[in-house]
Amino acid sequence: VTGVALALFDLDNTLIDRADGFGSWATEFAVEYGLGVEVVPTLTDLDQDGYRLRPEFFALVRERFGLRAEVEELWAYYRRTYPEHLRCRPAVLAALAGLRERGWRLGIVTNGLPDIQPAKIARTGLDRYVDGYCVSGVEGVRKPDPEIFRRAAARCGGTLDGGWMVGDHPDQDIGGGRAAGLRTAWIQRPGRWPAWPGRDPGPDATVRDVVDAAALLVL
Ligand SMILES: [Mg+2]
């Protein structure tokens, strides 16, 4: 490894458990809009793991449940309330702290909105555990474009050569990280993604979570 060791991490369903956080938010939303908590699985389906764009998501929610509130109002409610439902596990924060103690530079590379993603990073305390972050909605460039990884590396003061990208999305995180010259650790989410075979050439490592990934990096 030449230069300063660098580890970049995806945010949603990598550093934070988005699935859990969305479920918690959806429960609050269902109560607030008088829908009853039985609609939470439907909201989760419509959400598509967060990959469905928010205007489309709220248009579908509004139509499905016959809500009178406009899409803009529902979206504003989401922006205001959703970050509060997200947590970063103490074990994950400890793993990040351990890497930094060993001299690693750490960064977050996330596709998402310019107001919501930074709020999530601050709300979970992650801003105090990393050297920098790149949010696609701020940068105007999205994973898997290698440019967003290059910017994150520069912002964190690390070098892509010998660095790692850790994430759960095969194309955005693993394909994108590799294209930027990083080694890759894939956080496997059973039932969410197809098994890796068939996606060539696959990640350098498959891990259960960020804690496992951090242990691998310091081997
Ligand atoms: Mg993710």
Side-chain angles (χ1 to χ4, degrees), residues 10-14 51 143 167-169 172-173 189:
D10 167 50
L11 182 63
D12 290 308
N13 287 324
T14 295
Y51 292 109
K143 295 181 291 186
D168 70 298
H169 197 289
Q172 293 181 5
D173 299 321
R189 298 181 58 206

Side-chain angles (χ1 to χ4, degrees), residues 109-171:
V109 185
T110 175
N111 284 351
L113 297 166
D115 49 355
I116 292 185
Q117 297 305 79
K120 286 155 69 173
I121 290 168
R123 177 69 183 78
T124 52
L126 279 164
D127 55 339
R128 298 192 301 275
Y129 288 80
V130 297
D131 298 289
Y133 56 84
C134 281
V135 174
S136 67
V138 175
E139 304 296 326
V141 58
R142 298 170 59 80
K143 295 181 291 186
D145 189 329
E147 173 61 16
I148 195 166
F149 299 95
R150 285 195 285 268
R151 286 190 200 180
R155 197 159 299 165
C156 296
T159 51
L160 292 171
D161 182 31
W164 283 84
M165 173 64 194
V166 180
D168 70 298
H169 197 289
D171 303 316

